[in-house]
């Protein structure tokens, strides 16, 4: 009998039809929708994770650059403003710049700086008619003028032309050939002057102006920058130079190099030229730093000359093989090349091959440091000199004397052959040598009475590249003593290919080191 619900108003639900698995179809559909939603959520989450990972990877591979530096608050000058600055500096400095005309003595000796301005090396210069030979500038109202030594050193008469075209006779107050500076004076008062600035403040890239009389063209102004500071130039032992590309030519010598503050920070002295350059400017000029000029000026005005201390050694830089040969860990010191007789160094027992490591208690790292320290030492002072000799630390005390005016004595000849001893070859180095005999040692007045006398050097060999030559006496290779020619051959066998070694030799009765690269 069919059962019915009456009076409730609610019809009974139909029973769900089960599927083949026994699960009702309606319930199965609900599960499907839930599964789809979960899959979509997982897919979206995975995509987000992958995108985040890729984004992080991109940042790691290409790091962000730092922000641009803040620009200086002061605006750079425009070309017009820079030009106006040049004008004002020229107006302020030119009245103190002078032209120097010189009548030179007959057969005067050339200055050590002459080659840089075109005079042939070693040539005596005949008497010349008055010509424009240089420049200078007034530093005191009563007529003291700074210029170069090589402008006036051989002058018999000096005529100075001022900016207002007045011509006056000048006399030499003092010259210093070592720094190539000179002071001359004219009889006048209330003269316009320049200010010597602090050259230590000068930096590479600074604008500078050069004034002078290039090729006799008076009151010429050129502009450029500081190319370098602290330059050391061969032949100028006591000066450090400011290098500039401001045009400097013959006739500019002694003129001022001026900063943008209108102060003289250098004295134009030389240019780098060559025979193919017609002695003209190629953009490399040198000026003596004003701080050096100030010191020399004071001494010349007070004493008429500059007195420097003198030790009596010629030194050269220390390279790695030589440092190793004397048991120094670093290339720090001044290698003694020669010691002239009857000098403080010679009397104290210093000799070629020694490496000076300290002077008067101050460490010496380079030859220039020793040169400056000795020059600045008071004459008559006793000082201690520390040095290395064949791996032994030594020291001596000596008295500093005044540097002689001429210390370039001619070197004596090398030892002559004195026997018919058998020759031994050091083939890898390219040397043929013989053992030094007592007769050879006496004849050559050798400081060490043993060694291997070089008879010949093979052209193109490592020894030839190191400029070892006939007549040299080899005393040591690296740390191996060489007393005979056979010692030389044996020492050569222990050398490694490609190694750089220091060879201690006696040449012209002086001990020197040369560096050879072993093949």
């Amino acid at each position: 009998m069919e059962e019915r619900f009456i009076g409730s108003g609610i019809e009974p639900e139909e029973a769900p039809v089960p599927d083949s698995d026994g699960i009702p179809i309606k319930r199965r559909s609900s599960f499907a929708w839930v599964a789809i939603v979960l899959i979509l959520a997982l897919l979206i989450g995975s995509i987000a994770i992958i995108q985040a990972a890729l984004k992080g990877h991109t940042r790691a591979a290409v790091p962000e650059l730092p922000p641009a530096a803040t620009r200086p608050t002061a605006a750079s000058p425009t070309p017009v403003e820079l030009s106006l600055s040049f004008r004002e500096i020229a107006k302020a400095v030119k009245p103190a710049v002078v032209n120097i005309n010189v009548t030179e003595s007959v057969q005067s000796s050339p200055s050590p700086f002459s080659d840089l301005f075109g005079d042939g090396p070693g040539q005596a210069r005949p008497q010349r008619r008055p010509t424009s030979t240089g420049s200078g500038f007034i530093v005191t109202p009563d007529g003291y003028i700074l210029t170069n030594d090589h402008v006036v050193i051989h002058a018999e008469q000096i005529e100075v032309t001022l900016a207002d075209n007045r011509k006056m006779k000048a006399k030499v107050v003092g010259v210093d050939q070592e720094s190539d500076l000179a002071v001359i004076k004219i009889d006048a008062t209330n003269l316009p002057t320049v200010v010597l600035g602090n050259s230590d403040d000068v930096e590479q890239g600074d604008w500078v102006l050069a004034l002078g009389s290039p090729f006799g063209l008076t009151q010429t102004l050129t502009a450029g920058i500081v190319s370098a500071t602290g330059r050391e130039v061969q032949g100028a032992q006591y000066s450090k130079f400011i290098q500039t590309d401001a045009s400097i030519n013959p006739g500019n010598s002694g003129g001022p190099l001026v900063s943008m503050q209108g102060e003289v920070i250098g004295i134009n002295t030389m240019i780098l030229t060559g025979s193919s350059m017609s002695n003209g400017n190629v953009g490399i000029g040198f000026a003596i730093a004003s701080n050096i000029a100030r010191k020399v000026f004071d001494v010349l005005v007070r004493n008429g000359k500059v007195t420097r201390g003198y030790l009596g050694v010629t030194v050269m830089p220390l390279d790695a093989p030589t440092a190793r040969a004397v048991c120094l860990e670093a290339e720090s010191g001044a290698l003694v090349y020669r010691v002239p007789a009857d000098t403080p160094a010679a009397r104290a027992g210093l000799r070629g091959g020694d490496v000076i490591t300290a002077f008067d208690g101050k460490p010496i790292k380079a030859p220039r440091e020793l040169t400056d320290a000795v020059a600045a030492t008071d004459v008559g002072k006793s000082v201690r000199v520390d040095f290395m000799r064949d791996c032994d630390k030594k020291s001596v005390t000596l008295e500093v004397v005044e540097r002689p005016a001429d210390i370039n004595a001619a070197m004596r000849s090398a030892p002559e052959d004195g026997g018919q001893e058998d020759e031994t070859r050091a083939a890898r180095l390219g040397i043929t040598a013989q053992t030094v005999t007592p007769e050879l040692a006496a004849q050559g007045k050798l400081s060490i009475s043993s060694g291997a006398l070089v008879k010949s050097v093979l052209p193109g060999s490592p020894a030839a590249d190191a400029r070892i030559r006939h007549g040299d006496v080899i005393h040591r290779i690296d740390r191996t003593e060489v007393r005979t020619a056979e010692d030389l051959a044996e020492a050569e066998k222990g050398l490694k290919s490609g190694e750089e070694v220091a060879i201690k030799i006696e040449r012209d009765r002086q001990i020197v080191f040369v560096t050879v690269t072993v093949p």
Side-chain angles (χ1 to χ4, degrees):
M1 180 176 177
E2 184 177 1
E3 184 176 12
R4 290 180 179 272
F5 293 90
I6 301 174
S8 64
I10 300 177
E11 294 291 329
E13 292 183 3
E14 294 184 359
V17 180
D19 64 2
S20 60
D21 295 328
I23 301 173
I25 293 175
K26 189 173 182 179
R27 187 178 172 189
R28 180 87 175 220
S29 299
S30 301
F31 288 161
W33 280 108
V34 171
I36 291 172
V37 170
L38 288 174
I39 291 171
L40 289 173
L42 289 172
L43 182 61
I44 293 171
S46 299
I47 292 173
I49 292 172
I50 293 171
Q51 287 178 336
L54 289 174
K55 186 176 181 180
H57 178 74
T58 302
R59 279 198 297 265
V62 185
E64 293 183 4
L65 295 175
T70 304
R71 293 185 178 182
T73 55
S76 299
T78 66
V80 172
E81 291 171 335
L82 188 61
S83 177
L84 291 175
S85 296
F86 290 166
R87 284 187 187 182
E88 295 305 314
I89 293 170
K91 290 176 182 178
V93 176
K94 281 176 59 177
V97 178
V98 302
N99 175 246
I100 300 175
N101 290 287
V102 174
T103 300
E104 294 186 339
S105 58
V106 178
Q107 297 297 313
S108 58
S109 301
S111 161
F113 296 91
S114 295
D115 293 346
L116 295 165
F117 285 97
D119 293 326
Q123 296 178 352
R125 296 181 288 180
Q127 183 174 359
R128 301 172 179 171
R129 64 183 184 277
T131 58
S132 177
T133 58
S135 306
F137 52 94
I138 306 168
V139 290
T140 65
D142 57 346
Y144 282 96
I145 297 170
L146 258 173
T147 185
N148 283 139
D149 165 74
H150 75 262
V151 171
V152 300
I153 183 62
H154 302 299
E156 285 188 343
Q157 295 181 359
I158 303 173
E159 184 180 71
V160 170
T161 303
L162 304 183
D164 59 8
N165 291 323
R166 284 185 293 167
K167 298 182 184 298
M168 299 184 179
K169 299 296 182 183
K171 63 179 181 180
V172 175
V173 175
V175 297
D176 180 33
Q177 189 171 4
E178 300 289 358
S179 67
D180 194 29
L181 288 168
V183 177
I184 62 176
K185 190 178 186 308
I186 56 177
D187 291 328
T189 58
N190 299 320
L191 294 172
T193 62
V194 297
V195 175
L196 286 178
N198 183 2
S199 55
D200 290 343
D201 290 340
V202 176
E203 294 187 11
Q204 190 176 48
D206 287 351
W207 276 101
V208 287
L209 303 177
L211 291 97
S213 304
F215 301 107
L217 301 172
T218 61
Q219 298 293 321
T220 295
L221 173 74
T222 57
I225 63 168
V226 172
S227 304
T229 60
R231 286 290 193 213
E232 296 182 17
V233 178
Q234 186 176 7
Q237 192 171 18
Y238 296 104
S239 285
K240 290 187 177 181
F241 296 88
I242 298 170
Q243 181 184 332
T244 179
D245 67 349
S247 185
I248 298 173
N249 286 287
N252 273 113
S253 295
L257 187 70
V258 184
S259 70
M260 294 302 291
Q261 287 72 43
E263 297 177 339
V264 175
I265 46 88
I267 293 84
N268 301 321
T269 298
M270 65 182 80
I271 55 177
L272 187 63
T273 71
S275 57
S276 63
M277 302 175 190
S278 303
N279 298 315
N281 180 274
V282 292
I284 302 178
F286 301 95
I288 301 170
S290 59
N291 285 358
I292 294 175
R294 181 184 288 105
K295 294 177 182 178
V296 172
F297 173 82
D298 291 341
V299 175
L300 289 179
V301 171
R302 186 169 59 249
N303 302 326
K305 69 173 185 177
V306 177
T307 301
R308 295 182 174 90
Y310 178 64
L311 189 62
V313 293
T314 302
V315 291
M316 59 188 295
L318 185 67
D319 59 17
T322 305
R324 185 173 64 246
V326 297
C327 301
L328 286 173
E329 295 182 356
E331 300 164 42
S332 181
L335 176 62
V336 177
Y337 179 72
R338 60 169 60 95
V339 183
D342 197 28
T343 61
R347 290 190 290 271
L350 286 168
R351 65 192 190 197
D354 293 341
V355 177
I356 296 176
T357 57
F359 177 83
D360 199 18
K362 299 178 182 178
I364 297 298
K365 298 181 180 179
R368 182 58 187 254
E369 292 184 6
L370 178 65
T371 299
D372 291 344
V374 174
T377 302
D378 293 335
V379 173
K381 181 180 180 179
S382 293
V383 298
R384 171 176 165 168
V385 178
D386 298 326
F387 61 97
M388 293 289 291
R389 175 181 293 167
D390 297 339
C391 294
D392 293 329
K393 293 182 179 179
K394 296 180 177 292
S395 64
V396 294
T397 299
L398 50 79
E399 181 179 310
V400 175
V401 300
E402 181 178 348
R403 181 179 174 86
D406 184 9
I407 62 171
N408 298 319
M411 298 302 296
R412 291 172 287 183
S413 60
E416 299 289 339
D417 294 353
Q420 302 296 325
E421 299 297 323
D422 293 339
E423 296 178 348
T424 301
R425 293 185 63 197
R428 294 173 67 192
L429 297 179
I431 296 172
T432 301
Q434 73 176 67
T435 298
V436 171
T437 63
E439 293 77 18
L440 281 174
Q443 178 181 340
K445 297 182 180 179
L446 300 179
S447 60
I448 302 175
S449 59
S450 62
L453 174 65
V454 176
K455 299 285 290 183
S456 63
V457 177
L458 182 66
S461 66
D465 291 341
R467 298 184 180 180
I468 294 176
R469 64 194 188 203
H470 165 77
D472 289 344
V473 177
I474 298 175
H475 293 301
R476 193 176 180 184
I477 294 184
D478 202 14
R479 297 183 184 179
T480 302
E481 295 290 339
V482 174
R483 300 182 181 277
T484 65
E486 289 73 20
D487 288 346
L488 173 64
E490 285 298 318
E492 183 194 52
K493 293 178 182 178
L495 301 179
K496 299 178 181 178
S497 295
E499 182 182 19
E500 285 189 332
V501 296
I503 298 182
K504 180 181 179 180
I505 65 176
E506 190 162 354
R507 172 184 295 165
D508 297 338
R509 300 166 191 169
Q510 301 290 336
I511 300 294
V512 299
F513 279 95
V514 297
T515 300
V516 174
T517 302
V518 181

